[in-house]
Amino acid sequence: MVELKELYRWSNTTKFKAKYVGPLIEEQFVGMVMPDKPTSPKQRYYLTDNGKALLANMTRDPNTSDLAEKVNHMIGTLSEEEKRIALDLMNPLALSH
């Protein structure tokens, strides 16, 4: 996550997490490995099934499932920069850092 924060020129980790990571966790697209220790320096994130569906939805045509409708609604509320950051955050390689 450090690399993503630097890439998007965010110096404040708390604000970065609140703006990008928090909403992904709240919508159950991303999960925490240690949910009982959210501020641990050893905290890691992983894609949930919803996150995998969102990522797949962004890379191909959506199907007509309820999840796709929810994903499309969420995506529609994001700015282009927020979409780019969300996709970067959900990249499995980025989440392991």
Side-chain angles (χ1 to χ4, degrees):
M1 186 172 331
V2 172
E3 294 89 354
L4 291 173
K5 194 178 77 165
E6 290 172 0
L7 176 67
Y8 291 103
R9 297 187 177 114
W10 280 79
S11 59
N12 187 308
T13 300
T14 303
K15 288 182 180 178
F16 183 78
K17 284 183 177 181
K19 180 153 178 82
Y20 297 107
V21 180
L24 292 171
I25 291 170
E26 191 173 298
E27 291 293 330
Q28 299 180 354
F29 293 123
V30 172
M32 292 185 283
V33 172
M34 299 181 291
D36 55 326
K37 297 180 181 180
T39 60
S40 171
K42 295 180 181 181
Q43 183 64 264
R44 296 292 179 255
Y45 302 90
Y46 64 92
L47 280 179
T48 63
D49 288 341
N50 287 349
K52 291 174 187 174
L54 175 61
L55 191 57
N57 184 59
M58 292 297 291
T59 58
R60 67 172 185 249
D61 291 333
N63 59 34
T64 58
S65 72
D66 291 338
L67 178 58
E69 288 180 31
K70 182 178 180 181
V71 165
N72 286 331
H73 175 73
M74 181 192 174
I75 291 169
T77 64
L78 299 175
S79 71
E80 289 303 314
E81 179 183 5
E82 289 170 335
K83 288 178 192 177
R84 205 170 37 255
I85 291 172
L87 285 173
D88 286 346
L89 283 169
M90 291 190 315
N91 177 333
L93 296 176
L95 291 174
S96 65
H97 292 91

XYZ file of all heavy atoms in Angstrom:
777
model
N 0.813 -1.180 0.000
C 0.000 0.000 0.000
C 0.866 1.256 0.000
O 0.469 2.275 -0.523
C -0.938 0.002 1.205
C -1.884 1.154 1.138
S -3.201 1.208 2.331
C -3.565 -0.431 2.734
N 2.055 1.142 0.548
C 2.970 2.278 0.584
C 3.254 2.776 -0.827
O 3.236 3.980 -1.089
C 4.283 1.904 1.311
C 5.313 2.994 1.184
C 4.008 1.586 2.765
N 3.488 1.842 -1.744
C 3.787 2.214 -3.119
C 2.616 2.950 -3.755
O 2.799 3.934 -4.474
C 4.151 0.973 -3.955
C 5.439 0.319 -3.523
C 5.229 -0.736 -2.438
O 4.098 -0.892 -1.931
O 6.208 -1.399 -2.076
N 1.393 2.480 -3.511
C 0.214 3.139 -4.072
C 0.035 4.531 -3.487
O -0.297 5.475 -4.201
C -1.043 2.299 -3.817
C -1.123 1.001 -4.584
C -2.309 0.181 -4.118
C -1.211 1.267 -6.068
N 0.256 4.644 -2.201
C 0.134 5.945 -1.542
C 1.124 6.930 -2.162
O 0.771 8.072 -2.462
C 0.384 5.779 -0.047
C -0.038 6.973 0.779
C 0.190 6.701 2.236
C 1.661 6.866 2.489
N 2.081 6.976 3.843
N 2.341 6.483 -2.379
C 3.352 7.342 -2.984
C 3.015 7.655 -4.436
O 3.178 8.780 -4.897
C 4.728 6.686 -2.885
C 5.265 6.649 -1.472
C 6.544 5.841 -1.336
O 7.042 5.297 -2.354
O 7.041 5.738 -0.207
N 2.539 6.647 -5.173
C 2.183 6.837 -6.573
C 1.147 7.946 -6.734
O 1.223 8.758 -7.644
C 1.649 5.523 -7.157
C 1.147 5.565 -8.591
C 2.302 5.825 -9.548
C 0.455 4.265 -8.936
N 0.179 7.985 -5.834
C -0.884 8.986 -5.919
C -0.611 10.214 -5.051
O -1.477 11.039 -4.822
C -2.232 8.351 -5.587
C -2.647 7.388 -6.670
C -2.520 6.015 -6.488
C -3.097 7.857 -7.887
C -2.856 5.134 -7.500
C -3.436 6.983 -8.903
C -3.318 5.629 -8.709
O -3.656 4.757 -9.707
N 0.622 10.319 -4.565
C 1.107 11.486 -3.814
C 0.281 11.787 -2.568
O -0.039 12.932 -2.282
C 1.178 12.695 -4.744
C 2.168 12.501 -5.871
C 2.338 13.755 -6.672
N 3.343 13.537 -7.697
C 3.066 13.546 -8.991
N 1.857 13.784 -9.410
N 4.022 13.332 -9.861
N -0.044 10.749 -1.835
C -0.712 10.908 -0.541
C 0.343 10.741 0.532
O 0.995 9.702 0.607
C -1.798 9.850 -0.361
C -3.070 10.179 -1.062
C -3.339 10.035 -2.393
C -4.259 10.692 -0.491
N -4.604 10.426 -2.680
C -5.204 10.834 -1.507
C -4.617 11.051 0.813
C -6.475 11.327 -1.290
C -5.891 11.526 1.024
C -6.802 11.665 -0.015
N 0.513 11.729 1.386
C 1.499 11.618 2.454
C 0.872 11.110 3.748
O 1.557 10.555 4.596
C 2.170 12.969 2.706
O 1.201 13.934 3.057
N -0.440 11.245 3.880
C -1.121 10.866 5.108
C -1.795 9.509 4.944
O -2.796 9.381 4.237
C -2.152 11.945 5.471
C -2.781 11.701 6.812
O -3.285 10.623 7.082
N -2.763 12.717 7.651
N -1.245 8.494 5.588
C -1.777 7.139 5.479
C -3.210 7.051 5.982
O -4.052 6.381 5.377
C -0.884 6.148 6.260
O 0.430 6.206 5.707
C -1.414 4.734 6.182
N -3.507 7.714 7.085
C -4.854 7.660 7.663
C -5.889 8.180 6.686
O -6.941 7.559 6.486
C -4.901 8.471 8.977
O -3.913 7.940 9.863
C -6.263 8.395 9.624
N -5.605 9.313 6.064
C -6.561 9.883 5.102
C -6.668 9.020 3.856
O -7.743 8.859 3.296
C -6.159 11.312 4.738
C -6.393 12.289 5.870
C -6.032 13.700 5.464
C -6.276 14.655 6.621
N -5.901 16.030 6.285
N -5.549 8.453 3.414
C -5.561 7.575 2.243
C -6.444 6.357 2.510
O -7.284 5.990 1.692
C -4.135 7.144 1.895
C -4.049 6.296 0.657
C -4.127 6.871 -0.600
C -3.866 4.925 0.747
C -4.044 6.100 -1.751
C -3.773 4.142 -0.389
C -3.867 4.731 -1.642
N -6.258 5.748 3.673
C -7.078 4.590 4.030
C -8.540 4.975 4.149
O -9.425 4.235 3.702
C -6.592 3.975 5.344
C -5.333 3.164 5.199
C -4.967 2.527 6.528
C -3.759 1.652 6.404
N -3.413 1.019 7.685
N -8.823 6.127 4.740
C -10.204 6.559 4.925
C -10.892 6.809 3.582
O -12.056 6.463 3.408
C -10.253 7.818 5.785
N -10.179 7.387 2.632
C -10.796 7.731 1.351
C -10.908 6.541 0.406
O -11.896 6.417 -0.308
C -10.012 8.845 0.675
C -10.606 9.262 -0.662
C -10.293 10.674 -0.997
C -10.835 11.079 -2.342
N -12.217 11.440 -2.338
N -9.917 5.656 0.392
C -9.900 4.583 -0.600
C -10.055 3.184 -0.016
O -10.849 2.393 -0.509
C -8.623 4.665 -1.445
C -8.559 5.944 -2.229
C -7.694 6.958 -1.871
C -9.412 6.160 -3.308
C -7.652 8.149 -2.576
C -9.385 7.345 -4.012
C -8.510 8.339 -3.642
O -8.480 9.514 -4.332
N -9.278 2.853 0.989
C -9.311 1.496 1.523
C -10.590 1.259 2.332
O -11.253 0.235 2.174
C -8.056 1.205 2.373
C -8.094 -0.201 2.938
C -6.797 1.411 1.544
N -10.946 2.208 3.188
C -12.139 2.071 4.026
C -13.405 1.769 3.242
O -14.121 0.814 3.563
N -13.713 2.539 2.191
C -14.915 2.237 1.407
C -14.885 0.858 0.750
O -15.909 0.190 0.651
C -14.944 3.354 0.354
C -14.222 4.484 0.999
C -13.136 3.840 1.814
N -13.697 0.410 0.325
C -13.594 -0.930 -0.272
C -13.864 -2.008 0.770
O -14.506 -3.026 0.473
C -12.216 -1.130 -0.909
C -11.934 -0.291 -2.150
C -10.468 -0.412 -2.547
C -12.841 -0.697 -3.293
N -13.401 -1.779 1.989
C -13.670 -2.726 3.077
C -15.148 -2.685 3.452
O -15.791 -3.726 3.610
C -12.780 -2.416 4.293
C -11.316 -2.741 3.970
C -13.237 -3.197 5.531
C -10.319 -2.265 5.009
N -15.697 -1.476 3.555
C -17.106 -1.305 3.920
C -18.036 -1.986 2.921
O -19.034 -2.587 3.301
C -17.418 0.189 3.991
C -18.746 0.506 4.615
C -18.904 2.001 4.800
O -18.101 2.598 5.545
O -19.835 2.561 4.179
N -17.697 -1.893 1.640
C -18.514 -2.523 0.597
C -18.184 -4.006 0.427
O -18.721 -4.662 -0.442
C -18.328 -1.793 -0.739
C -18.919 -0.414 -0.759
C -20.429 -0.395 -0.675
O -21.078 -1.347 -1.153
O -20.963 0.580 -0.124
N -17.275 -4.499 1.249
C -16.855 -5.899 1.255
C -16.200 -6.336 -0.051
O -16.345 -7.456 -0.501
C -18.032 -6.809 1.621
C -18.571 -6.522 2.997
C -19.734 -7.413 3.382
O -20.228 -8.200 2.590
N -20.175 -7.273 4.616
N -15.445 -5.408 -0.657
C -14.641 -5.735 -1.831
C -13.241 -6.150 -1.408
O -12.574 -6.890 -2.102
C -14.557 -4.551 -2.794
C -15.884 -4.215 -3.425
C -16.425 -2.955 -3.293
C -16.597 -5.160 -4.145
C -17.645 -2.642 -3.865
C -17.819 -4.861 -4.724
C -18.344 -3.591 -4.582
N -12.790 -5.637 -0.274
C -11.471 -5.933 0.277
C -11.657 -6.315 1.738
O -12.498 -5.751 2.427
C -10.537 -4.695 0.160
C -9.235 -4.906 0.890
C -10.283 -4.360 -1.301
N -10.883 -7.295 2.192
C -10.921 -7.705 3.593
C -9.553 -7.539 4.224
O -8.531 -7.443 3.527
N -9.547 -7.488 5.549
C -8.287 -7.388 6.290
C -7.907 -8.759 6.831
O -8.771 -9.490 7.326
C -8.428 -6.411 7.460
C -8.608 -4.986 7.048
S -8.632 -3.855 8.463
C -10.292 -4.143 9.068
N -6.637 -9.078 6.755
C -6.144 -10.344 7.298
C -6.308 -10.352 8.819
O -6.640 -11.377 9.402
C -4.678 -10.567 6.883
C -4.087 -11.771 7.582
C -4.581 -10.730 5.376
N -6.101 -9.209 9.446
C -6.228 -9.087 10.903
C -7.287 -8.020 11.234
O -6.941 -6.895 11.616
C -4.884 -8.710 11.527
C -3.802 -9.740 11.295
S -2.210 -9.300 12.052
C -1.715 -7.922 11.041
N -8.564 -8.342 11.089
C -9.597 -7.330 11.301
C -9.639 -6.783 12.728
O -10.079 -5.651 12.939
C -10.901 -8.047 10.948
C -10.580 -9.491 10.981
C -9.114 -9.633 10.719
N -9.146 -7.542 13.682
C -9.127 -7.071 15.067
C -7.953 -6.135 15.347
O -7.869 -5.534 16.421
C -9.108 -8.255 16.043
C -7.951 -9.209 15.771
O -7.577 -9.379 14.599
O -7.427 -9.775 16.745
N -7.043 -5.984 14.368
C -5.887 -5.089 14.513
C -5.738 -4.247 13.238
O -4.752 -4.377 12.502
C -4.618 -5.900 14.758
C -4.653 -6.697 16.043
C -3.372 -7.479 16.215
C -3.443 -8.304 17.500
N -2.226 -9.075 17.707
N -6.693 -3.361 12.977
C -6.683 -2.635 11.698
C -5.488 -1.713 11.482
O -5.157 -1.412 10.339
C -7.986 -1.841 11.725
C -8.364 -1.759 13.160
C -7.816 -2.995 13.820
N -4.822 -1.281 12.536
C -3.687 -0.369 12.374
C -2.331 -1.054 12.522
O -1.303 -0.388 12.535
C -3.781 0.798 13.382
O -3.766 0.253 14.712
C -5.036 1.625 13.169
N -2.338 -2.359 12.600
C -1.084 -3.103 12.749
C -0.177 -2.881 11.536
O -0.638 -2.899 10.396
C -1.372 -4.596 12.888
O -0.169 -5.335 12.814
N 1.114 -2.693 11.771
C 2.039 -2.571 10.640
C 2.133 -3.867 9.824
O 2.592 -3.858 8.697
C 3.374 -2.224 11.288
C 3.237 -2.509 12.730
C 1.768 -2.534 13.058
N 1.657 -4.962 10.396
C 1.666 -6.245 9.688
C 0.346 -6.502 8.950
O 0.167 -7.558 8.354
C 1.922 -7.385 10.675
C 3.308 -7.314 11.294
C 3.529 -8.456 12.251
C 4.921 -8.347 12.885
N 5.175 -9.447 13.806
N -0.561 -5.535 8.996
C -1.867 -5.689 8.343
C -1.688 -5.896 6.843
O -0.868 -5.247 6.207
C -2.727 -4.443 8.580
C -4.123 -4.530 7.996
C -4.940 -5.622 8.633
O -5.023 -6.721 8.105
N -5.523 -5.328 9.774
N -2.453 -6.820 6.310
C -2.477 -7.093 4.877
C -3.938 -7.135 4.447
O -4.833 -7.357 5.253
C -1.800 -8.425 4.548
C -0.313 -8.461 4.889
C 0.475 -7.531 3.967
N 1.884 -7.538 4.287
C 2.516 -6.558 4.926
N 1.856 -5.505 5.356
N 3.800 -6.619 5.143
N -4.156 -6.941 3.178
C -5.504 -6.912 2.630
C -5.635 -7.987 1.560
O -4.657 -8.392 0.945
C -5.788 -5.526 2.029
C -5.624 -4.435 3.051
C -4.376 -3.822 3.230
C -6.665 -4.053 3.866
C -4.196 -2.837 4.183
C -6.492 -3.067 4.823
C -5.262 -2.462 4.981
O -5.083 -1.497 5.936
N -6.848 -8.436 1.349
C -7.094 -9.444 0.321
C -8.413 -9.126 -0.377
O -9.278 -8.430 0.164
C -7.130 -10.859 0.918
C -8.274 -11.066 1.895
C -9.494 -11.560 1.459
C -8.130 -10.755 3.247
C -10.547 -11.735 2.344
C -9.166 -10.930 4.137
C -10.372 -11.421 3.681
O -11.413 -11.586 4.557
N -8.535 -9.622 -1.599
C -9.769 -9.451 -2.348
C -10.795 -10.458 -1.863
O -10.509 -11.653 -1.777
C -9.537 -9.700 -3.838
C -8.936 -8.584 -4.648
C -8.761 -9.028 -6.095
C -9.773 -7.342 -4.576
N -11.982 -9.981 -1.563
C -13.085 -10.873 -1.228
C -13.690 -11.366 -2.542
O -13.278 -10.936 -3.627
C -14.158 -10.106 -0.432
O -14.684 -9.072 -1.280
C -13.601 -9.506 0.847
N -14.684 -12.243 -2.453
C -15.369 -12.687 -3.668
C -15.997 -11.495 -4.387
O -15.970 -11.418 -5.610
C -16.434 -13.737 -3.336
C -15.811 -15.071 -2.938
O -14.614 -15.300 -3.253
O -16.513 -15.882 -2.309
N -16.552 -10.545 -3.606
C -17.120 -9.340 -4.216
C -16.034 -8.526 -4.916
O -16.265 -7.962 -5.983
C -17.809 -8.467 -3.164
C -19.110 -9.045 -2.682
O -19.640 -9.996 -3.241
N -19.638 -8.476 -1.621
N -14.865 -8.437 -4.309
C -13.750 -7.712 -4.907
C -13.289 -8.353 -6.201
O -13.000 -7.672 -7.183
N -13.234 -9.674 -6.207
C -12.861 -10.386 -7.428
C -13.889 -10.140 -8.526
O -13.533 -9.961 -9.686
C -12.716 -11.879 -7.146
C -11.517 -12.192 -6.268
C -11.484 -13.658 -5.872
C -10.372 -13.909 -4.861
N -10.395 -15.284 -4.357
N -15.169 -10.116 -8.139
C -16.224 -9.841 -9.115
C -16.124 -8.415 -9.639
O -16.309 -8.168 -10.834
C -17.601 -10.083 -8.487
N -15.806 -7.466 -8.761
C -15.633 -6.073 -9.183
C -14.474 -5.955 -10.156
O -14.594 -5.316 -11.199
C -15.404 -5.168 -7.969
C -15.088 -3.701 -8.267
C -16.239 -3.043 -9.010
C -14.791 -2.952 -6.981
N -13.371 -6.578 -9.826
C -12.207 -6.531 -10.693
C -12.525 -7.151 -12.051
O -12.197 -6.584 -13.100
C -11.034 -7.249 -10.030
C -9.673 -7.077 -10.662
C -9.285 -5.606 -10.756
C -8.629 -7.843 -9.877
N -13.203 -8.289 -12.049
C -13.600 -8.937 -13.300
C -14.563 -8.045 -14.079
O -14.478 -7.944 -15.302
C -14.241 -10.294 -13.009
N -15.468 -7.387 -13.355
C -16.445 -6.513 -13.993
C -15.774 -5.332 -14.684
O -16.218 -4.881 -15.731
C -17.448 -6.009 -12.956
C -18.546 -5.189 -13.570
O -19.281 -5.666 -14.427
N -18.664 -3.950 -13.145
N -14.684 -4.842 -14.104
C -13.987 -3.696 -14.685
C -13.151 -4.097 -15.895
O -12.746 -3.244 -16.662
C -13.086 -3.043 -13.631
C -13.834 -2.371 -12.511
S -14.862 -0.997 -13.054
C -13.600 0.173 -13.529
N -12.914 -5.373 -16.066
C -12.059 -5.811 -17.166
C -12.827 -6.529 -18.270
O -12.238 -6.922 -19.264
C -10.937 -6.733 -16.653
O -11.513 -7.849 -15.986
C -10.016 -5.980 -15.702
N -14.143 -6.673 -18.122
C -14.956 -7.273 -19.188
C -16.394 -6.814 -19.027
O -16.749 -6.154 -18.070
C -14.862 -8.793 -19.166
C -15.479 -9.426 -17.945
C -15.508 -10.950 -18.103
N -16.208 -11.513 -16.990
C -15.667 -12.230 -16.035
N -14.398 -12.489 -16.047
N -16.395 -12.712 -15.050
N -17.242 -7.212 -19.943
C -18.643 -6.803 -19.884
C -19.322 -7.390 -18.656
O -19.184 -8.574 -18.363
C -19.395 -7.282 -21.126
C -18.946 -6.553 -22.371
O -18.489 -5.402 -22.233
O -19.051 -7.136 -23.463
N -20.084 -6.572 -17.927
C -20.771 -7.076 -16.737
C -21.942 -7.987 -17.119
O -22.532 -7.830 -18.171
C -21.273 -5.810 -16.040
C -21.426 -4.826 -17.156
C -20.326 -5.158 -18.151
N -22.239 -8.934 -16.243
C -23.429 -9.747 -16.472
C -24.605 -9.065 -15.776
O -24.485 -7.949 -15.286
C -23.217 -11.190 -15.995
C -22.892 -11.256 -14.515
O -23.386 -10.457 -13.723
N -22.056 -12.196 -14.135
N -25.738 -9.703 -15.700
C -26.929 -9.052 -15.164
C -27.242 -9.464 -13.728
O -28.348 -9.285 -13.267
C -28.150 -9.380 -16.057
O -28.291 -10.807 -16.101
C -27.971 -8.814 -17.452
N -26.271 -9.978 -13.019
C -26.508 -10.421 -11.648
C -26.701 -9.234 -10.716
O -26.377 -8.090 -11.034
C -25.338 -11.265 -11.137
O -24.222 -10.435 -10.915
N -27.238 -9.504 -9.523
C -27.412 -8.458 -8.511
C -26.065 -7.848 -8.132
O -25.969 -6.643 -7.919
C -28.081 -9.031 -7.253
C -29.533 -9.413 -7.493
O -30.145 -8.876 -8.441
O -30.051 -10.241 -6.726
N -25.046 -8.685 -8.033
C -23.725 -8.179 -7.682
C -23.227 -7.219 -8.752
O -22.693 -6.159 -8.441
C -22.732 -9.330 -7.497
C -21.300 -8.910 -7.167
C -21.258 -8.067 -5.892
C -20.422 -10.135 -7.016
N -23.434 -7.553 -10.007
C -23.001 -6.670 -11.093
C -23.720 -5.327 -11.009
O -23.116 -4.284 -11.235
C -23.244 -7.329 -12.449
N -25.014 -5.353 -10.681
C -25.753 -4.098 -10.530
C -25.193 -3.267 -9.387
O -25.033 -2.051 -9.504
C -27.237 -4.381 -10.305
C -27.938 -4.885 -11.552
C -29.415 -5.155 -11.311
O -30.017 -4.472 -10.470
O -29.948 -6.052 -11.971
N -24.881 -3.907 -8.256
C -24.291 -3.203 -7.113
C -22.938 -2.623 -7.488
O -22.620 -1.474 -7.170
C -24.148 -4.164 -5.930
C -23.582 -3.526 -4.686
C -23.515 -4.514 -3.536
C -22.946 -3.851 -2.300
N -22.839 -4.769 -1.168
N -22.138 -3.412 -8.180
C -20.824 -2.972 -8.612
C -20.956 -1.783 -9.565
O -20.269 -0.776 -9.414
C -20.049 -4.137 -9.280
C -18.851 -3.642 -10.051
C -19.643 -5.157 -8.240
N -21.845 -1.879 -10.531
C -22.030 -0.792 -11.482
C -22.480 0.479 -10.785
O -22.048 1.572 -11.136
C -23.030 -1.185 -12.570
C -22.439 -2.166 -13.557
O -21.239 -2.175 -13.788
N -23.278 -2.994 -14.146
N -23.339 0.347 -9.776
C -23.788 1.515 -9.017
C -22.613 2.145 -8.280
O -22.428 3.361 -8.310
C -24.898 1.132 -8.029
C -25.309 2.267 -7.149
N -26.047 3.323 -7.627
C -25.069 2.516 -5.852
C -26.241 4.187 -6.644
N -25.657 3.714 -5.555
N -21.810 1.313 -7.620
C -20.665 1.844 -6.884
C -19.667 2.514 -7.821
O -19.184 3.606 -7.565
C -19.963 0.751 -6.097
C -18.778 1.279 -5.312
S -17.748 -0.030 -4.666
C -16.413 0.939 -4.004
N -19.381 1.862 -8.932
C -18.430 2.395 -9.897
C -18.923 3.736 -10.439
O -18.151 4.668 -10.613
C -18.186 1.389 -11.037
C -17.414 0.180 -10.511
C -17.431 2.039 -12.192
C -17.359 -0.968 -11.474
N -20.214 3.837 -10.665
C -20.778 5.065 -11.198
C -20.607 6.255 -10.279
O -20.633 7.398 -10.736
N -20.409 6.007 -8.992
C -20.259 7.107 -8.042
C -18.811 7.553 -7.880
O -18.554 8.552 -7.223
C -20.811 6.724 -6.654
O -20.030 5.660 -6.117
C -22.273 6.301 -6.732
N -17.877 6.839 -8.484
C -16.458 7.165 -8.335
C -15.984 8.068 -9.462
O -16.419 7.944 -10.601
C -15.612 5.888 -8.359
C -15.870 4.847 -7.280
C -15.019 3.619 -7.542
C -15.602 5.411 -5.903
N -15.048 8.944 -9.134
C -14.386 9.736 -10.172
C -13.421 8.810 -10.917
O -13.111 7.710 -10.449
C -13.626 10.903 -9.546
O -12.482 10.423 -8.852
N -12.910 9.273 -12.049
C -11.968 8.454 -12.801
C -10.718 8.152 -11.972
O -10.212 7.042 -11.989
C -11.582 9.148 -14.121
C -12.712 9.174 -15.128
C -13.236 7.789 -15.467
O -12.440 6.868 -15.717
O -14.472 7.629 -15.480
N -10.234 9.141 -11.229
C -9.057 8.914 -10.377
C -9.375 7.892 -9.294
O -8.577 6.990 -9.027
C -8.586 10.213 -9.735
C -7.377 9.998 -8.837
C -6.919 11.259 -8.118
O -7.592 12.297 -8.225
O -5.889 11.184 -7.451
N -10.551 7.983 -8.684
C -10.937 7.031 -7.639
C -11.067 5.626 -8.204
O -10.682 4.654 -7.560
C -12.247 7.474 -6.990
C -12.093 8.706 -6.130
C -13.410 9.297 -5.680
O -14.440 9.102 -6.354
O -13.415 9.966 -4.637
N -11.598 5.499 -9.422
C -11.689 4.177 -10.061
C -10.295 3.591 -10.262
O -10.055 2.422 -9.992
C -12.397 4.285 -11.418
C -13.869 4.538 -11.339
C -14.446 4.682 -12.731
C -15.847 5.212 -12.682
N -16.410 5.436 -14.019
N -9.379 4.425 -10.751
C -8.010 3.967 -10.996
C -7.344 3.523 -9.698
O -6.716 2.468 -9.636
C -7.228 5.109 -11.651
C -6.073 4.698 -12.474
C -5.441 5.827 -13.306
N -5.389 7.135 -12.677
C -6.201 8.160 -12.990
N -7.128 8.027 -13.916
N -6.089 9.319 -12.372
N -7.514 4.307 -8.638
C -6.909 3.962 -7.356
C -7.545 2.697 -6.789
O -6.861 1.814 -6.279
C -7.009 5.140 -6.372
C -6.101 6.281 -6.846
C -6.625 4.708 -4.962
C -6.262 7.569 -6.075
N -8.875 2.584 -6.886
C -9.560 1.394 -6.382
C -9.062 0.142 -7.095
O -8.803 -0.883 -6.463
C -11.073 1.541 -6.544
N -8.915 0.218 -8.418
C -8.416 -0.936 -9.160
C -6.980 -1.258 -8.768
O -6.619 -2.423 -8.634
C -8.516 -0.689 -10.661
C -9.921 -0.780 -11.224
C -9.938 -0.340 -12.683
C -10.464 -2.191 -11.093
N -6.165 -0.221 -8.578
C -4.789 -0.464 -8.139
C -4.770 -1.118 -6.759
O -3.987 -2.025 -6.500
C -3.984 0.830 -8.103
C -3.598 1.337 -9.481
O -3.716 0.560 -10.456
O -3.193 2.502 -9.577
N -5.649 -0.655 -5.881
C -5.700 -1.222 -4.536
C -6.149 -2.680 -4.558
O -5.752 -3.476 -3.729
C -6.666 -0.434 -3.650
C -6.148 0.899 -3.134
C -7.275 1.684 -2.501
C -5.034 0.681 -2.131
N -7.001 -3.019 -5.527
C -7.514 -4.391 -5.580
C -6.622 -5.325 -6.374
O -6.862 -6.514 -6.411
C -8.927 -4.390 -6.141
C -9.893 -3.755 -5.193
S -11.605 -3.959 -5.638
C -11.599 -3.606 -7.338
N -5.575 -4.787 -6.978
C -4.638 -5.630 -7.676
C -3.976 -6.538 -6.624
O -3.380 -6.044 -5.692
C -3.595 -4.760 -8.373
C -2.526 -5.561 -9.087
O -2.217 -6.691 -8.710
N -1.953 -4.971 -10.097
N -4.074 -7.843 -6.770
C -3.520 -8.748 -5.748
C -2.054 -8.491 -5.425
O -1.628 -8.671 -4.307
C -3.721 -10.132 -6.371
C -4.859 -9.964 -7.316
C -4.747 -8.549 -7.845
N -1.262 -8.025 -6.385
C 0.139 -7.745 -6.102
C 0.274 -6.528 -5.187
O 1.111 -6.503 -4.302
C 0.898 -7.502 -7.405
C 0.974 -8.689 -8.345
C 1.664 -8.292 -9.648
C 1.708 -9.854 -7.711
N -0.568 -5.520 -5.372
C -0.509 -4.322 -4.541
C -0.970 -4.626 -3.123
O -0.455 -4.074 -2.163
C -1.367 -3.215 -5.135
N -1.945 -5.498 -2.971
C -2.505 -5.791 -1.657
C -1.533 -6.541 -0.757
O -1.665 -6.526 0.440
C -3.797 -6.606 -1.796
C -4.961 -5.848 -2.401
C -6.129 -6.781 -2.634
C -5.389 -4.692 -1.514
N -0.535 -7.175 -1.323
C 0.389 -7.947 -0.507
C 1.474 -7.070 0.120
O 2.277 -7.561 0.889
C 1.031 -9.047 -1.344
O 1.840 -8.487 -2.360
N 1.477 -5.781 -0.178
C 2.503 -4.885 0.379
C 1.963 -4.087 1.534
O 0.863 -3.793 1.677
C 2.995 -3.917 -0.703
C 3.751 -4.628 -1.761
N 3.140 -5.120 -2.893
C 5.041 -4.961 -1.883
C 4.034 -5.689 -3.659
N 5.200 -5.608 -3.060
